[in-house]
Amino acid sequence: MRLSAAHPSTSKKGQIPAIIWWTDFLIIALWAQELSGGLDFLSPGVLICLQTGQWWTALWMGALWVLVQEGGGNLVFGVSILFYSGMLVFFLLSKWLLEPENPLFIILFSLLLACWSWVVLSGAISFQELPARPYSPWSWIARQWAAYVFFWGTALLIYRRGGRNGRV
Amino acid sequence: MSPRFKRLVLFFFLPLFLYFSMYTWNWKTGYLDRLAALTGLELTGWVLAPGRWLQNNVDEFWSRYVYLVGVRQENEDLVLRVRELEQELTRVSEKAKSADRLTSLLRFSPEASWEMRGGRVIGQKLGPNAILETILVDVGLRHGVGLNDPVISPKGVVGRIAKPGLHFSSVVLLSDPSSRIPVITSEGRVPAIVQGQGAGAFLEVKFIPRNDPVSPGEILLSSGLGGVFPKGIPVARVVEVTPADVSLFQRVYAEPLLALRYYEELLVLSRTDGFDAGQPVMTPAVTNASSPGAPQTDEKSPEAKPATQAPPAAGPSVTPPPVQEPSTITRHPVRKKP
């Protein structure tokens, strides 16, 4: 089974314009972050762009997501840059092992990303000598993993059906 | 230089160098933090605000026009309560007038003046980077709110502004471990520091000497010493006092007077006299609150350097010593609420 978001370059009638699609994605992801109590729901947007080979869209989206995450957070600026850089490197490395269109890739990469997110945040917390998070890492990683798999998978399916392949 | 080495430098060391340069530059200046507050925080606020507005209106409509169970009984209770309070007000206003007269006779410094603004809570944990116990309110720099401004509710202290954006601000709650507020006990007028221990945990009341009187049920009021909070605002209620065995200080725990996360409307206080309440809290110097040389907390930093302006007039028995925190954070076992 392939979940490729790749579309023919010509857009079909009735497809959602990219700017509207990504705006909707941002709104839903921010509400999901708020309601989930601090899980990350924005990264799947960048991952969809990487999967579909839209590098420039991934770049500006990554920059915007960095500002949003850093603006809403309490850490010194730079943690999100490190997280997204690591995500890019892991994505390029993982492409050698699995096809990005494969659902198994989404499941395994989500787990890797959830662990990476914990490592980066814990490092930043420790580096800035903030009080450690009170909950256990595994429950947080499990919740973040489930969030990534569900949100990424759903967004990709919707993008495949209603989205437009192209730069915003 | 081999092409392989060049590639290594280009793709690994150069980005790493650039990243750390940016990180340290921002750590010192805080420009990127401010940029993120003015863009990312604003964007998040504008996305969340309409939804919260809709939710509040639906709730209000439901409670005002549909769900009217017990309104009549509640109305009768409130009428009785208003009568009681009117009698109390008459009695207390006379005392207040005499206190004002005595204050002017004794030539106390005038109390600092504060401006109050209402704000709505529109968000809580805004993402993975929101490590501290924070909420998002819909007032910001455009409304005259500044860094470290106290945030209160009619019941007591909620927290302080940690990151002001243009129209929205992040408020760090009283329960966050980085929050410390100088207080005095309501009965014994004993000075202490209230420190948060995380969501759902009791607050720790530090530095109460072993022989000083403090008892469960006593209310802790802000002492106004740090210059951040005005004097006399209720902060917490003492729930547990354990006499010291070896330590010089008693082990005291308190609980906030309100459920911090379930408030919809809050009040932000701003000083109108231009007093600077200390170092920024969430800018790099304070985000690394416990790094050596950096100011520890909101309330402590102004104490470390004496305020240029006299604190608000204190009661006759309130002469607490300037309490200094140790330079490293001591972690105590977090006692969860039962």
Side-chain angles (χ1 to χ4, degrees), chain A residues 78-105:
Chain A
V79 178
S80 297
I81 293 178
L82 186 63
F83 172 73
Y84 284 118
S85 308
M87 187 176 89
L88 179 65
V89 171
F90 290 140
F91 184 85
L92 296 176
L93 292 176
S94 305
K95 268 177 69 174
W96 290 348
L97 298 171
L98 283 169
E99 281 187 18
E101 296 88 1
N102 196 321
L104 191 64
F105 177 87

Side-chain angles (χ1 to χ4, degrees), chain A:
Chain A
M1 185 186 173
R2 287 162 72 91
L3 290 174
S4 172
H7 285 281
S9 56
T10 53
S11 62
K12 291 178 189 170
K13 204 175 177 183
Q15 278 181 333
I16 307 164
I19 186 79
I20 293 178
W21 203 91
W22 288 119
T23 307
D24 290 347
F25 178 89
L26 174 66
I27 292 170
I28 293 168
L30 283 177
W31 270 101
Q33 290 199 158
E34 156 69 7
L35 297 174
S36 68
L39 297 177
D40 173 27
F41 283 87
L42 288 173
S43 306
V46 181
L47 287 167
I48 289 172
C49 293
L50 293 177
Q51 276 180 310
T52 54
Q54 300 175 65
W55 299 96
W56 283 110
T57 312
L59 188 70
W60 73 251
M61 191 184 289
L64 183 62
W65 281 195
V66 163
L67 285 173
V68 169
Q69 299 288 35
E70 298 285 358
N74 318 110
L75 298 166
V76 173
F77 193 95
V79 178
S80 297
I81 293 178
L82 186 63
F83 172 73
Y84 284 118
S85 308
M87 187 176 89
L88 179 65
V89 171
F90 290 140
F91 184 85
L92 296 176
L93 292 176
S94 305
K95 268 177 69 174
W96 290 348
L97 298 171
L98 283 169
E99 281 187 18
E101 296 88 1
N102 196 321
L104 191 64
F105 177 87
I106 293 180
I107 293 169
L108 294 179
F109 194 81
S110 295
L111 177 62
L112 178 69
L113 208 58
C115 295
W116 172 238
S117 180
W118 177 269
V119 168
V120 169
L121 288 173
S122 300
I125 289 167
S126 164
F127 190 63
Q128 293 174 32
E129 297 187 27
L130 289 170
R133 289 177 284 183
Y135 36 83
S136 79
W138 297 116
S139 71
W140 189 89
I141 287 173
R143 282 190 298 134
Q144 183 63 75
W145 182 25
Y148 277 146
V149 171
F150 174 75
F151 202 68
W152 186 3
T154 311
L156 189 57
L157 277 173
I158 297 170
Y159 187 81
R160 226 184 121 202
R161 290 182 184 200
R164 178 192 290 227
N165 184 29
R167 289 170 197 163
V168 179

Side-chain angles (χ1 to χ4, degrees), chain A residues 34 70 73-74 77-78 129, chain B residues 19 52 124 129 131-132 163:
Chain A
E34 156 69 7
E70 298 285 358
N74 318 110
F77 193 95
E129 297 187 27
Chain B
Y19 177 77
R52 286 288 176 219
Q124 297 191 353
N129 291 14
I131 300 299
L132 306 180
K163 195 186 245 184

Side-chain angles (χ1 to χ4, degrees), chain B:
Chain B
M1 201 186 286
S2 69
R4 201 171 179 179
F5 182 73
K6 271 185 187 170
R7 222 174 288 153
L8 188 72
V9 168
L10 191 65
F11 290 107
F12 185 73
F13 288 112
L14 188 64
L16 205 64
F17 173 76
L18 288 175
Y19 177 77
F20 280 114
S21 303
M22 180 214 70
Y23 194 84
T24 45
W25 171 72
N26 174 61
W27 186 288
K28 285 187 175 177
T29 61
Y31 286 142
L32 292 174
D33 284 311
R34 278 196 286 280
L35 175 72
L38 295 178
T39 52
L41 191 66
E42 283 293 300
L43 181 62
T44 308
W46 286 117
V47 167
L48 297 182
R52 286 288 176 219
W53 177 83
L54 191 68
Q55 185 196 358
N56 288 336
N57 279 295
V58 169
D59 283 351
E60 206 173 289
F61 179 80
W62 174 258
S63 57
R64 278 193 181 182
Y65 302 109
V66 182
Y67 189 74
L68 299 172
V69 179
V71 168
R72 189 180 173 81
Q73 181 62 43
E74 190 183 359
N75 193 32
E76 286 170 5
D77 292 346
L78 287 174
V79 168
L80 285 175
R81 181 78 183 133
V82 165
R83 283 183 195 149
E84 284 173 17
L85 289 174
E86 277 175 348
Q87 288 173 2
E88 180 77 9
L89 184 66
T90 317
R91 195 175 60 80
V92 171
S93 62
E94 283 306 313
K95 279 193 173 178
K97 281 175 192 165
S98 62
D100 285 345
R101 277 198 304 276
L102 288 171
T103 303
S104 60
L105 272 176
L106 294 171
R107 294 180 185 176
F108 281 152
S109 307
E111 290 195 21
S113 51
W114 297 83
E115 203 175 32
M116 200 180 281
R117 283 175 202 83
R120 280 183 190 276
V121 178
I122 58 167
Q124 297 191 353
K125 285 260 182 186
L126 299 178
N129 291 14
I131 300 299
L132 306 180
E133 290 285 310
T134 50
I135 53 175
L136 184 70
V137 291
D138 65 350
V139 284
L141 296 166
R142 293 289 294 270
H143 307 98
V145 166
L147 190 69
N148 279 335
D149 280 356
V151 180
I152 64 169
S153 81
K155 285 190 176 175
V157 169
V158 174
R160 66 192 145 79
I161 299 285
K163 195 186 245 184
L166 268 182
H167 299 91
F168 304 94
S169 301
S170 179
V171 176
V172 66
L173 296 176
L174 168 68
S175 57
D176 187 80
S178 69
S179 167
R180 286 162 215 182
I181 301 176
V183 292
I184 45 171
T185 59
S186 57
E187 304 294 325
R189 316 304 285 181
V190 179
I193 300 279
V194 164
Q195 181 178 5
Q197 295 202 96
F202 284 142
L203 309 169
E204 189 176 7
V205 188
K206 299 169 103 174
F207 309 121
I208 293 191
R210 56 193 306 166
N211 294 325
D212 282 4
V214 58
S215 54
E218 207 166 340
I219 300 292
L220 302 171
L221 307 167
S222 60
S223 67
L225 278 183
V228 172
F229 288 91
K231 183 180 158 75
I233 298 183
V235 176
R237 181 187 293 109
V238 175
V239 290
E240 188 183 321
V241 180
T242 310
D245 38 10
V246 192
S247 168
L248 292 173
F249 303 106
Q250 299 179 55
R251 193 170 281 235
V252 181
Y253 292 94
E255 63 179 358
L257 298 168
L258 58 157
L260 295 169
R261 286 228 168 258
Y262 301 106
Y263 257 74
E264 292 173 3
E265 289 95 20
L266 301 168
L267 297 167
V268 182
L269 304 177
S270 307
R271 288 183 78 128
T272 52
D273 52 6
F275 176 80
D276 180 14
Q279 291 288 325
V281 180
M282 295 313 302
T283 49
V286 186
T287 309
N288 329 302
S290 38
S291 63
Q296 287 285 314
T297 55
D298 54 336
E299 291 288 278
K300 203 172 74 60
S301 49
E303 283 168 13
K305 50 172 187 179
T308 50
Q309 182 166 340
S317 63
V318 183
T319 51
V323 182
Q324 288 288 339
E325 286 275 299
S327 61
T328 55
I329 290 178
T330 51
R331 303 234 162 82
H332 297 278
V334 174
R335 310 198 69 171
K336 290 280 177 187
K337 286 181 187 173

